[in-house]
Amino acid sequence: MEPEVRPVAVRGLEDVIAADTRIGYVDGANGKLYYAGYEINDLAKHASYEECVFLLWNDRLPTKKELMDFRAEIIPEMTLPRPLIQWFRRVPRGVHPMVMLRSAISDLALYDKETEDNSLEANRRKAARLVAKVPSVIANFYRIYNGLDLIEPDPKKGIAVNFLRMFTGKEPDKKSREAIELMFVLHADHGFNASTFAARVTASTLADIYAAVTAAIGALKGPLHGGANQRVMEMLEGIGSPDDVEDYINGLLARRERIMGFGHRVYKVEDPRARHLRKYSEDVCGGDVACSRYYAISRRIEQQVKKTKGIYPNVDFYSATVQHALGIPVDYYTTVFAASRIAGWTAHVMEQHADNRLMRPRSQFVGKLPRRFVQMEKRKK
Ligand code: CMC
């Protein structure tokens, strides 16, 4: 029997349209990103993270009263279930924070009475809990793991600033507050990236929102996706001085290795988020010798990679120096990405559940077919 003849598989699903969405749009040819139709440059300039979350979930910007009510609803949700805090104390040493986060978010489902309810109303309430609790999990785990006291969320502050103060234990200054807010706004959604797609595939089986977000966190961890920001900082540390950039980059390219924080499947020009982060990276690093050196190295890498490969930095490149300046340890960088992207993941799960059809593509079978079964005693290697 001959296998059924089919068109060839699209490797990496490049340019495949997998669903309709009103949430995010990446215009790769023109280097533009939109949340529910609003351009990221406008949102980065004028909107808070909570406004973006409301926008992604409701397809419109909130009024002042709605925003106040929304904040009043979500900030108290930053408190975590006690058993989860106790579990943090039992996590073995040396675990990557993304592994902890993936397990912790799956664990949160145990303490939510609405886990099994996929109605729009229940999903909306669970989404609010997740948007508040993902940053708290990261901050609380970090402090417990490092023998530090926990910091309570401040109801007068937003999620991003609360995250930073609960993580570092310090009240952030104006520059740091602006930088963390910008980080959260810029990472909130990005169309059908790998982690969002993983969330939507999981949601399309009518699995619960915690299952979908757990799948998304698993996908975000990889260095070709959110894990790239950690690899960027490791590269900056490895280079050491701006004068060594040329040799270092040429060496990577000669070995056909990837330069982390560069290139993108959809953007053919500069990622608009990188432009904002480059500027903030310069601003927040000013005054700090090590951080300014990282910024200088980053600028040289950017010039060298553009010249030799003609590719541009993506969101992960300058996010590394911004996070360094904010006092985030390098192995937590990808968790900060997750702390913001939870907005988009939850929006996509709600959109999927609201108009669901199981996502079930096919593969091209390229093995031998059919094969005659061989009894154990007659098998050869
Ligand atoms: N370093 C060196 N060469 C690269 C890079 C890079 N970072 N990115 C793309 N290229 C080259 C690649 O070698 C190929 O060149 P050639 O045609 O000469 O062989 C060409 O560009 C096309 O590459 P591709 O592998 O077909 O591109 P892709 O769309 O499959 O990959 C990517 C997209 C993001 C995985 C890739 O650019 C990459 O590995 N980047 C480094 C990891 C990274 O920064 N990831 C973060 C992505 S954006 C934000 C996020 O999701 O977190």
Side-chain angles (χ1 to χ4, degrees):
M1 187 178 74
E2 287 296 312
E4 200 180 346
V5 178
R6 314 207 136 265
V8 286
V10 179
R11 263 172 67 78
L13 301 182
E14 182 166 0
D15 291 336
V16 170
I17 305 290
D20 293 342
T21 185
R22 289 181 198 285
I23 297 167
Y25 173 54
V26 182
D27 175 354
N30 296 303
K32 290 186 186 249
L33 167 64
Y34 301 86
Y35 293 169
Y38 292 92
E39 215 192 316
I40 196 67
N41 296 333
D42 291 332
L43 296 168
K45 215 159 151 191
H46 303 295
S48 65
Y49 173 63
E50 286 77 15
E51 278 175 87
C52 294
V53 179
F54 187 100
L55 172 64
L56 294 169
W57 289 356
N58 299 288
D59 198 34
R60 66 176 177 83
L61 288 163
T63 63
K64 197 172 178 182
K65 162 106 178 44
E66 283 173 327
L67 184 62
M68 277 168 57
D69 291 348
F70 187 45
R71 280 202 167 159
E73 175 194 355
I74 52 179
I75 301 302
E77 292 285 359
M78 291 188 89
T79 304
L80 298 179
R82 185 170 283 276
L84 189 60
I85 301 272
Q86 285 159 352
W87 177 79
F88 291 161
R89 299 185 204 283
R90 297 198 305 276
V91 173
R93 302 310 299 175
V95 163
H96 193 281
M98 281 297 280
V99 172
M100 175 286 300
L101 184 64
R102 189 179 64 213
S103 308
I105 300 314
S106 181
D107 211 57
L108 275 178
L110 305 176
Y111 309 106
D112 192 326
K113 289 190 173 60
E114 296 190 292
T115 294
E116 297 302 325
D117 185 348
N118 282 345
S119 66
L120 184 59
E121 298 72 27
N123 269 349
R124 168 62 183 73
R125 288 189 291 272
K126 288 184 284 185
R129 289 174 206 136
L130 277 160
V131 154
K133 285 184 169 53
V134 170
S136 292
V137 163
I138 301 159
N140 285 349
F141 172 76
Y142 169 74
R143 296 196 67 82
I144 286 179
Y145 212 51
N146 290 284
L148 302 164
D149 291 339
L150 294 185
I151 311 291
E152 291 295 316
D154 179 345
K156 294 192 289 300
K157 300 190 165 78
I159 288 186
V161 171
N162 260 312
F163 164 72
L164 190 59
R165 50 182 290 286
M166 287 163 70
F167 191 102
T168 61
K170 288 187 276 193
E171 284 304 328
D173 60 13
K174 186 168 178 287
K175 254 191 208 173
S176 303
R177 288 198 305 271
E178 284 174 8
I180 194 71
E181 195 74 31
L182 180 85
M183 283 282 293
F184 271 58
V185 166
L186 295 180
H187 285 82
D189 187 65
H190 206 240
F192 260 47
N193 56 86
S195 57
T196 299
F197 186 53
R200 284 196 76 135
V201 170
T202 309
S204 85
T205 71
L206 296 183
D208 63 86
I209 198 167
Y210 290 99
V213 170
T214 305
I217 295 171
L220 186 73
K221 179 172 184 278
L224 297 188
H225 191 8
N229 55 14
Q230 173 177 340
R231 305 310 193 285
V232 169
M233 183 45 78
E234 287 163 358
M235 171 171 73
L236 300 180
E237 286 167 349
I239 293 177
S241 153
D243 294 336
D244 298 329
V245 165
E246 204 172 319
D247 286 348
Y248 188 96
I249 296 299
N250 290 345
L252 284 181
L253 293 176
R255 295 192 298 279
R256 303 191 67 78
E257 287 178 33
R258 295 282 155 137
I259 297 146
M260 289 293 140
F262 281 83
H264 200 274
R265 175 62 66 76
V266 186
Y267 291 121
K268 302 302 170 210
V269 293
E270 185 172 73
D271 179 335
R273 302 165 301 173
R275 201 171 317 131
H276 289 279
L277 290 169
R278 183 192 294 113
K279 183 186 169 303
Y280 265 83
S281 173
E282 185 176 14
D283 285 357
V284 286
C285 280
D288 179 295
V289 177
C291 194
S292 300
R293 192 177 62 242
Y294 290 140
Y295 176 74
I297 295 172
S298 304
R299 294 292 291 164
R300 288 281 277 272
I301 297 175
E302 189 180 346
Q303 287 159 8
Q304 182 68 12
V305 177
K306 265 191 209 159
K307 197 168 85 186
T308 49
K309 283 299 285 185
I311 53 175
Y312 298 88
N314 57 51
V315 70
D316 291 311
F317 190 62
Y318 284 103
S319 120
T321 29
V322 172
Q323 294 205 53
H324 172 84
L326 293 176
I328 310 285
V330 64
D331 54 339
Y332 281 80
Y333 286 8
T334 312
T335 66
V336 177
F337 190 149
S340 159
R341 183 57 57 83
I342 184 64
W345 292 333
T346 47
H348 280 274
V349 172
M350 289 190 275
E351 190 176 59
Q352 186 67 38
H353 278 172
D355 182 19
N356 189 57
R357 185 149 195 247
L358 175 71
M359 291 207 192
R360 204 296 185 195
R362 291 179 65 173
S363 54
Q364 176 86 304
F365 182 73
V366 294
K368 291 179 189 161
L369 185 75
R371 301 172 92 177
R372 201 150 49 87
F373 187 77
V374 183
Q375 295 301 333
M376 182 80 78
E377 52 283 2
K378 291 191 180 157
R379 283 179 209 164
K380 290 184 193 131
K381 250 195 184 173

